[in-house]
Amino acid sequence: MAKRGRPKQIKKVVFSPKQQEAYNYLIDNKTTEVYFGGSAYSAKSWLGCTWILINCVNLNGVRYAIGRKDAKRAKETTLKTFFKAARFYGLYDYFKYNDQKGLITFKGTDSEVVVLELTGAFVDELAEVDMKAYQVLSTRIGRQNNEEYGILGKIFSTSNPTKKWVYKHFYKANKEGKLKPSQKVV
């Protein structure tokens, strides 16, 4: 297959009002943590995958992570959503996937989806992840060409309703007006 550059035209991205609200936080210059909660089938994972696709197609040399509690589950669920979104937007031919390394490399921009120094991250089903792991991940973002593009390192997290640590860290803090200015809940 011949190497392709950036796509000339992709399918128009259309979000629901809640998805648009979350996406606006993902592209602003203030927010570093976006928590998007809701029931199953509310397109939370789709939004995270779309955010990463848009950035990896449009920016050179950025790195994002897609993760869940374990790699096997991420490959069985979230990665399938990523590939489905890529097909929907007409972007499936613009990257290559190395299953052994768990690495997606975008043709034309050399952007990647990995777990290393990161531009940003998408954590699907955050309630399944240990709080300490989330805290460590938050120290790894904002290191890969963020300054060059003037974008903040961001973590986009999704979850179904829960009473685990995520409830206190995001939902309850939001209800009590105690979120940091850099945190948003949708």
Side-chain angles (χ1 to χ4, degrees), residues 124-145:
D124 198 14
E125 296 301 341
L126 182 61
E128 297 175 355
V129 176
D130 182 71
M131 184 176 185
K132 184 70 175 163
Y134 179 81
Q135 291 169 333
V136 169
L137 177 63
S138 70
T139 68
R140 304 291 195 268
I141 62 167
R143 299 179 177 187
Q144 186 66 31
N145 291 330

mmCIF file of all heavy atoms in Angstrom, residues 124-145:
data_model
loop_
_atom_site.group_PDB
_atom_site.id
_atom_site.type_symbol
_atom_site.label_atom_id
_atom_site.label_comp_id
_atom_site.label_asym_id
_atom_site.label_seq_id
_atom_site.Cartn_x
_atom_site.Cartn_y
_atom_site.Cartn_z
ATOM 1 N N ASP A 124 -10.813 5.005 29.055
ATOM 2 C CA ASP A 124 -12.181 4.516 28.949
ATOM 3 C C ASP A 124 -12.516 3.725 30.207
ATOM 4 O O ASP A 124 -11.691 2.972 30.706
ATOM 5 C CB ASP A 124 -12.295 3.633 27.707
ATOM 6 C CG ASP A 124 -13.723 3.418 27.259
ATOM 7 O OD1 ASP A 124 -14.625 4.138 27.718
ATOM 8 O OD2 ASP A 124 -13.936 2.524 26.416
ATOM 9 N N GLU A 125 -13.710 3.894 30.732
ATOM 10 C CA GLU A 125 -14.165 3.228 31.955
ATOM 11 C C GLU A 125 -13.199 3.478 33.118
ATOM 12 O O GLU A 125 -12.625 2.563 33.712
ATOM 13 C CB GLU A 125 -14.378 1.733 31.725
ATOM 14 C CG GLU A 125 -15.481 1.431 30.742
ATOM 15 C CD GLU A 125 -16.853 1.978 31.145
ATOM 16 O OE1 GLU A 125 -17.079 2.293 32.325
ATOM 17 O OE2 GLU A 125 -17.708 2.108 30.252
ATOM 18 N N LEU A 126 -13.047 4.741 33.456
ATOM 19 C CA LEU A 126 -12.116 5.174 34.497
ATOM 20 C C LEU A 126 -12.357 4.496 35.835
ATOM 21 O O LEU A 126 -11.420 4.227 36.580
ATOM 22 C CB LEU A 126 -12.185 6.704 34.665
ATOM 23 C CG LEU A 126 -11.239 7.324 35.673
ATOM 24 C CD1 LEU A 126 -9.787 7.068 35.289
ATOM 25 C CD2 LEU A 126 -11.500 8.819 35.788
ATOM 26 N N ALA A 127 -13.592 4.176 36.154
ATOM 27 C CA ALA A 127 -13.904 3.552 37.444
ATOM 28 C C ALA A 127 -13.211 2.199 37.611
ATOM 29 O O ALA A 127 -12.993 1.753 38.739
ATOM 30 C CB ALA A 127 -15.410 3.394 37.605
ATOM 31 N N GLU A 128 -12.826 1.569 36.510
ATOM 32 C CA GLU A 128 -12.113 0.292 36.585
ATOM 33 C C GLU A 128 -10.637 0.473 36.920
ATOM 34 O O GLU A 128 -9.957 -0.479 37.268
ATOM 35 C CB GLU A 128 -12.211 -0.446 35.243
ATOM 36 C CG GLU A 128 -13.604 -0.841 34.837
ATOM 37 C CD GLU A 128 -13.636 -1.457 33.449
ATOM 38 O OE1 GLU A 128 -12.587 -1.497 32.765
ATOM 39 O OE2 GLU A 128 -14.722 -1.896 33.037
ATOM 40 N N VAL A 129 -10.143 1.683 36.778
ATOM 41 C CA VAL A 129 -8.714 1.975 36.938
ATOM 42 C C VAL A 129 -8.433 2.429 38.362
ATOM 43 O O VAL A 129 -9.194 3.199 38.939
ATOM 44 C CB VAL A 129 -8.283 3.069 35.925
ATOM 45 C CG1 VAL A 129 -6.841 3.474 36.117
ATOM 46 C CG2 VAL A 129 -8.541 2.590 34.502
ATOM 47 N N ASP A 130 -7.325 1.989 38.907
ATOM 48 C CA ASP A 130 -6.896 2.404 40.240
ATOM 49 C C ASP A 130 -6.560 3.901 40.224
ATOM 50 O O ASP A 130 -5.976 4.404 39.266
ATOM 51 C CB ASP A 130 -5.655 1.581 40.633
ATOM 52 C CG ASP A 130 -5.168 1.908 42.006
ATOM 53 O OD1 ASP A 130 -5.848 1.540 42.978
ATOM 54 O OD2 ASP A 130 -4.095 2.551 42.109
ATOM 55 N N MET A 131 -6.925 4.604 41.296
ATOM 56 C CA MET A 131 -6.674 6.044 41.376
ATOM 57 C C MET A 131 -5.185 6.363 41.219
ATOM 58 O O MET A 131 -4.825 7.335 40.564
ATOM 59 C CB MET A 131 -7.202 6.614 42.688
ATOM 60 C CG MET A 131 -7.040 8.124 42.775
ATOM 61 S SD MET A 131 -7.791 8.743 44.288
ATOM 62 C CE MET A 131 -7.598 10.479 44.049
ATOM 63 N N LYS A 132 -4.322 5.544 41.797
ATOM 64 C CA LYS A 132 -2.876 5.773 41.703
ATOM 65 C C LYS A 132 -2.409 5.706 40.251
ATOM 66 O O LYS A 132 -1.592 6.518 39.815
ATOM 67 C CB LYS A 132 -2.124 4.754 42.568
ATOM 68 C CG LYS A 132 -0.639 4.964 42.611
ATOM 69 C CD LYS A 132 -0.291 6.205 43.397
ATOM 70 C CE LYS A 132 1.218 6.329 43.542
ATOM 71 N NZ LYS A 132 1.627 7.645 43.931
ATOM 72 N N ALA A 133 -2.932 4.757 39.492
ATOM 73 C CA ALA A 133 -2.572 4.641 38.077
ATOM 74 C C ALA A 133 -2.992 5.904 37.318
ATOM 75 O O ALA A 133 -2.253 6.403 36.471
ATOM 76 C CB ALA A 133 -3.212 3.407 37.466
ATOM 77 N N TYR A 134 -4.168 6.417 37.642
ATOM 78 C CA TYR A 134 -4.649 7.652 37.009
ATOM 79 C C TYR A 134 -3.717 8.818 37.352
ATOM 80 O O TYR A 134 -3.358 9.620 36.496
ATOM 81 C CB TYR A 134 -6.079 7.952 37.460
ATOM 82 C CG TYR A 134 -6.640 9.228 36.877
ATOM 83 C CD1 TYR A 134 -7.157 9.250 35.592
ATOM 84 C CD2 TYR A 134 -6.641 10.411 37.610
ATOM 85 C CE1 TYR A 134 -7.677 10.417 35.048
ATOM 86 C CE2 TYR A 134 -7.154 11.583 37.082
ATOM 87 C CZ TYR A 134 -7.669 11.579 35.797
ATOM 88 O OH TYR A 134 -8.167 12.741 35.266
ATOM 89 N N GLN A 135 -3.315 8.902 38.612
ATOM 90 C CA GLN A 135 -2.413 9.974 39.044
ATOM 91 C C GLN A 135 -1.067 9.883 38.329
ATOM 92 O O GLN A 135 -0.515 10.901 37.912
ATOM 93 C CB GLN A 135 -2.239 9.938 40.557
ATOM 94 C CG GLN A 135 -3.496 10.327 41.306
ATOM 95 C CD GLN A 135 -3.411 10.045 42.805
ATOM 96 O OE1 GLN A 135 -2.695 9.164 43.259
ATOM 97 N NE2 GLN A 135 -4.189 10.803 43.573
ATOM 98 N N VAL A 136 -0.540 8.679 38.179
ATOM 99 C CA VAL A 136 0.731 8.501 37.468
ATOM 100 C C VAL A 136 0.567 8.906 36.006
ATOM 101 O O VAL A 136 1.407 9.623 35.450
ATOM 102 C CB VAL A 136 1.235 7.046 37.594
ATOM 103 C CG1 VAL A 136 2.405 6.791 36.646
ATOM 104 C CG2 VAL A 136 1.637 6.741 39.027
ATOM 105 N N LEU A 137 -0.533 8.474 35.374
ATOM 106 C CA LEU A 137 -0.779 8.853 33.984
ATOM 107 C C LEU A 137 -0.824 10.366 33.838
ATOM 108 O O LEU A 137 -0.269 10.923 32.888
ATOM 109 C CB LEU A 137 -2.090 8.239 33.488
ATOM 110 C CG LEU A 137 -2.501 8.622 32.064
ATOM 111 C CD1 LEU A 137 -1.480 8.115 31.048
ATOM 112 C CD2 LEU A 137 -3.880 8.082 31.753
ATOM 113 N N SER A 138 -1.438 11.048 34.788
ATOM 114 C CA SER A 138 -1.552 12.512 34.687
ATOM 115 C C SER A 138 -0.186 13.198 34.709
ATOM 116 O O SER A 138 -0.056 14.316 34.228
ATOM 117 C CB SER A 138 -2.467 13.063 35.784
ATOM 118 O OG SER A 138 -1.850 12.963 37.045
ATOM 119 N N THR A 139 0.833 12.533 35.232
ATOM 120 C CA THR A 139 2.189 13.117 35.215
ATOM 121 C C THR A 139 2.891 12.875 33.891
ATOM 122 O O THR A 139 3.957 13.445 33.650
ATOM 123 C CB THR A 139 3.062 12.550 36.352
ATOM 124 O OG1 THR A 139 3.342 11.163 36.093
ATOM 125 C CG2 THR A 139 2.407 12.725 37.708
ATOM 126 N N ARG A 140 2.331 12.020 33.040
ATOM 127 C CA ARG A 140 2.977 11.652 31.777
ATOM 128 C C ARG A 140 2.461 12.450 30.576
ATOM 129 O O ARG A 140 3.008 12.329 29.487
ATOM 130 C CB ARG A 140 2.761 10.164 31.483
ATOM 131 C CG ARG A 140 3.225 9.215 32.550
ATOM 132 C CD ARG A 140 4.740 9.193 32.659
ATOM 133 N NE ARG A 140 5.218 8.056 33.421
ATOM 134 C CZ ARG A 140 5.443 8.071 34.728
ATOM 135 N NH1 ARG A 140 5.209 9.155 35.426
ATOM 136 N NH2 ARG A 140 5.907 7.001 35.341
ATOM 137 N N ILE A 141 1.419 13.233 30.778
ATOM 138 C CA ILE A 141 0.848 13.973 29.639
ATOM 139 C C ILE A 141 1.475 15.352 29.530
ATOM 140 O O ILE A 141 2.072 15.867 30.478
ATOM 141 C CB ILE A 141 -0.684 14.086 29.733
ATOM 142 C CG1 ILE A 141 -1.084 14.855 30.983
ATOM 143 C CG2 ILE A 141 -1.328 12.716 29.681
ATOM 144 C CD1 ILE A 141 -2.520 15.282 31.003
ATOM 145 N N GLY A 142 1.338 15.941 28.363
ATOM 146 C CA GLY A 142 1.833 17.294 28.132
ATOM 147 C C GLY A 142 3.302 17.346 27.785
ATOM 148 O O GLY A 142 3.938 18.393 27.885
ATOM 149 N N ARG A 143 3.875 16.241 27.330
ATOM 150 C CA ARG A 143 5.314 16.166 27.070
ATOM 151 C C ARG A 143 5.676 15.975 25.609
ATOM 152 O O ARG A 143 6.857 15.919 25.274
ATOM 153 C CB ARG A 143 5.906 14.979 27.843
ATOM 154 C CG ARG A 143 5.749 15.069 29.321
ATOM 155 C CD ARG A 143 6.357 13.841 29.944
ATOM 156 N NE ARG A 143 6.315 13.879 31.390
ATOM 157 C CZ ARG A 143 6.902 12.984 32.157
ATOM 158 N NH1 ARG A 143 7.569 12.000 31.626
ATOM 159 N NH2 ARG A 143 6.818 13.075 33.450
ATOM 160 N N GLN A 144 4.711 15.814 24.739
ATOM 161 C CA GLN A 144 5.028 15.463 23.355
ATOM 162 C C GLN A 144 4.476 16.502 22.387
ATOM 163 O O GLN A 144 3.351 16.420 21.938
ATOM 164 C CB GLN A 144 4.466 14.076 23.024
ATOM 165 C CG GLN A 144 4.860 13.541 21.670
ATOM 166 C CD GLN A 144 6.336 13.260 21.550
ATOM 167 O OE1 GLN A 144 6.996 12.922 22.516
ATOM 168 N NE2 GLN A 144 6.873 13.409 20.366
ATOM 169 N N ASN A 145 5.278 17.522 22.103
ATOM 170 C CA ASN A 145 4.951 18.588 21.145
ATOM 171 C C ASN A 145 3.789 19.473 21.581
ATOM 172 O O ASN A 145 3.215 20.182 20.759
ATOM 173 C CB ASN A 145 4.697 18.014 19.746
ATOM 174 C CG ASN A 145 5.962 17.466 19.123
ATOM 175 O OD1 ASN A 145 7.058 17.945 19.399
ATOM 176 N ND2 ASN A 145 5.831 16.455 18.303
#
